[in-house]
Amino acid sequence: MGSGMKAFHATQVYFNRAADLMGMDERIRTALLTAKREVRVQIPVEMDNGTVETLLGYRVQHDNSRGPMKGGLRYHPAVDMDEVRSLAALMTWKTAVVDIPYGGAKGGIAVNPRSLSVKELERVTRKFVDQIHDVIGPHADIPAPDMGTNYQVMAWLRNQWEKYHGFNPACVTGKPVEHYGAEGREEATGRGVGLLAFKLFRRFGKSPRDNRVAIQGFGNVGTHAAKFLHEAEFKVVAISDISGAYFRESGLDIPGALRYAMHHEGRLEGYSDADRLPAEKLLELDVELLIPAAIGNVVTNENVSRVQANVILEAANGPIHPKADAILEKRGVTILPDILANAGGVTVSYFEWVQNLQHYKWGINRVRQELDHVLGSAFEQVWQESHDAKISLRTAAYKLAIERVHRATLLGGF
Ligand code: NAD
């Protein structure tokens, strides 16, 4: 697989581009890129049939100069130290660019969660916590859901961690709402994508109504982005999932498509209120805004010449290959980079943690308002930096993030 791996290579390229621009010393680069701690543990689990399987679990804590480290926990067969290490660094830049008081971390277990029973999944999760509970926690490193994990896994994780350390729901985010989870976490990434698209087009002086949007991926991020953009009166003309792309020139009935997916196990297969296109054609449509919200590396050297959108918002991690990115930049295409575009999720995770620490629950309106505030000010800063320094939004976002982490590291001292 490796959307993560690919996202990692891209992250390295973009980090170095910004660091070159800043004239950053090689030794400082090494200090900023090296993870604080890397843990690999053995997870022996008893399977339902009585046999014992030995799995490997990882947690990489990249940087804590700006606050406790934060990052998802991924269950996928391709998880390894390299991937987790790179995704941990990505979290450091993501939390820094939106300026929430966190560093970056990531973890995972090399396992296919669909091959496990619910009981096995629970045992794996609890065993993993047994191995790493002393290095994670509300003021050290706070896990969250990622590929292959969900709110149920987070509820087990919290329960197991609290067996060692006592009540403290802030030890993990992405929990069920009934278990100190935050209202609005589910919609946060997609909503953030929508909010940022709205702000970007307002900056261009363009009204949503005159702008056509194509969204690749109709999962958590894609559906919530589509809903927000439709409500904001953008013309969403194309959506897609693994079953293919669905297109309507005059604009899709997004509430109808959402209802359809809800009644068909989250899939669009069979949706007939639109024209059908091969899935990859979505990327090449004549639209003003393209939102890849599915997997990494979908805009490549091979198809970049056929991409027509003048604005691309990276809802997925690393959807544009760095070589394609360079071509698009030359062509004057505006790209809102993943480290900002999909930071709504970690931002609302931060709100969940704040609420847990204060033992105070916010309503959905407060969550939405604060999300708008955090993403809005990050967007304005990145936009300003890009214009002042005459650099792309991506390089501006990395530059701001790296400067913040660098400065915090120097202030703290060694
Ligand atoms: P998801 O699993 O809920 O949905 C993924 C969607 O993409 C599904 O509709 C799937 O059918 C579709 N898809 C997969 N391959 C495709 C292809 N080749 N062509 C078209 N559609 C395809 O995942 P998600 O949580 O919505 O995450 C989407 C992306 O956003 C991922 O890259 C993820 O890393 C990133 N992201 C998610 C969050 C979050 O909070 N969920 C936060 C940050 C980044």
Side-chain angles (χ1 to χ4, degrees):
M1 65 138 227
S3 67
M5 286 294 283
K6 287 161 192 161
F8 162 56
H9 293 304
T11 304
Q12 286 279 23
V13 171
Y14 302 139
F15 175 92
N16 281 319
R17 192 178 292 168
D20 288 347
L21 191 83
M22 295 158 70
M24 184 177 274
D25 188 77
E26 206 51 53
R27 276 166 299 194
I28 309 267
R29 286 188 204 208
T30 308
L32 293 185
L33 286 173
T34 310
K36 299 264 171 223
R37 181 192 269 144
E38 302 185 348
V39 183
R40 197 201 75 177
V41 294
Q42 184 203 48
I43 309 169
V45 255
E46 198 178 344
M47 308 307 277
D48 292 346
N49 66 9
T51 60
V52 173
E53 289 275 344
T54 304
L55 303 176
L56 291 177
Y58 305 86
R59 188 76 190 167
V60 173
Q61 301 177 331
H62 176 250
D63 188 274
N64 63 354
S65 58
R66 302 181 58 263
M69 295 168 282
K70 185 91 191 82
L73 183 63
R74 170 173 290 200
Y75 290 180
H76 189 282
V79 164
D80 62 15
M81 189 58 98
D82 238 22
E83 181 183 85
V84 174
R85 183 185 289 136
S86 48
L87 292 167
L90 188 68
M91 288 305 296
T92 298
W93 315 129
K94 199 176 284 192
T95 52
V97 79
V98 290
D99 207 6
I100 52 178
Y102 280 147
K106 201 79 176 191
I109 300 177
V111 67
N112 176 4
R114 279 188 292 264
S115 72
L116 302 175
S117 71
V118 175
K119 277 286 150 205
E120 287 167 346
L121 196 64
E122 177 175 351
R123 283 199 290 275
V124 167
T125 303
R126 290 185 186 278
K127 277 278 178 183
F128 184 51
V129 178
D130 288 343
Q131 307 284 356
I132 65 160
H133 72 87
D134 51 350
V135 296
I136 61 172
H139 302 292
D141 173 3
I142 308 124
D146 196 77
M147 204 181 280
T149 59
N150 58 15
Y151 60 84
Q152 174 62 76
V153 174
M154 299 306 114
W156 291 326
L157 199 157
R158 171 189 162 209
N159 181 272
Q160 194 67 10
W161 188 88
E162 288 182 342
K163 285 180 185 168
Y164 293 95
H165 304 276
F167 173 82
N168 204 331
C171 66
V172 56
T173 63
K175 299 179 295 291
V177 174
E178 304 85 333
H179 270 243
Y180 295 84
E183 299 275 357
R185 172 62 188 87
E186 177 85 16
E187 68 174 22
T189 307
R191 187 177 178 86
V193 165
L195 281 168
L196 289 164
F198 188 77
K199 290 176 194 298
L200 189 61
F201 277 74
R202 198 168 51 193
R203 268 287 183 175
F204 290 142
K206 290 182 175 167
S207 131
R209 216 176 279 246
D210 308 324
N211 289 287
R212 295 162 299 170
V213 188
I215 304 174
Q216 182 189 45
F218 211 57
N220 174 281
V221 179
T223 53
H224 287 290
K227 184 165 180 278
F228 184 93
L229 290 168
H230 178 77
E231 284 167 7
E233 299 191 326
F234 277 91
K235 201 152 99 180
V236 182
V237 295
I239 52 178
S240 71
D241 66 6
I242 38 169
S243 72
Y246 303 80
F247 172 74
R248 201 207 273 166
E249 182 76 57
S250 59
L252 292 161
D253 167 21
I254 294 299
L258 289 166
R259 266 195 310 278
Y260 185 89
M262 204 167 73
H263 291 124
H264 294 83
E265 295 172 344
R267 308 266 305 258
L268 286 167
E269 181 134 45
Y271 180 64
S272 58
D273 207 7
D275 298 331
R276 279 292 304 273
L277 298 172
E280 66 283 0
K281 284 285 167 232
L282 179 131
L283 300 167
E284 302 167 15
L285 288 171
D286 176 20
V287 290
E288 281 69 38
L289 172 61
L290 173 64
I291 304 183
I295 52 171
N297 241 5
V298 292
V299 177
T300 61
N301 239 350
E302 195 278 313
N303 65 359
V304 65
S305 62
R306 298 192 296 277
V307 170
Q308 299 187 61
N310 278 324
V311 182
I312 305 178
L313 211 140
E314 291 189 319
N317 282 324
I320 303 176
H321 189 280
K323 283 192 180 139
D325 181 74
I327 295 168
L328 291 167
E329 194 180 333
K330 255 194 219 115
R331 248 167 53 192
V333 174
T334 301
I335 300 170
L336 198 74
D338 51 6
I339 57 167
L340 173 58
N342 67 30
V346 71
T347 302
V348 175
S349 268
Y350 164 58
F351 298 157
E352 180 175 333
W353 180 77
V354 167
Q355 293 171 67
N356 294 160
L357 291 178
Q358 298 185 340
H359 306 285
Y360 184 77
K361 194 170 165 51
W362 302 357
I364 183 77
N365 289 337
R366 174 150 184 207
V367 172
R368 288 176 173 173
Q369 214 175 343
E370 301 260 358
L371 177 65
D372 188 296
H373 174 70
V374 169
L375 292 183
S377 58
F379 172 75
E380 288 305 326
Q381 288 163 15
V382 170
W383 178 271
Q384 202 56 49
E385 180 68 33
S386 144
H387 278 250
D388 291 350
K390 300 197 169 30
I391 51 181
S392 67
L393 290 171
R394 188 190 307 282
T395 304
Y398 271 88
K399 181 167 178 281
L400 280 177
I402 296 167
E403 276 169 2
R404 282 179 183 148
V405 175
H406 184 198
R407 190 167 156 69
T409 306
L410 293 182
L411 283 169
F414 297 97

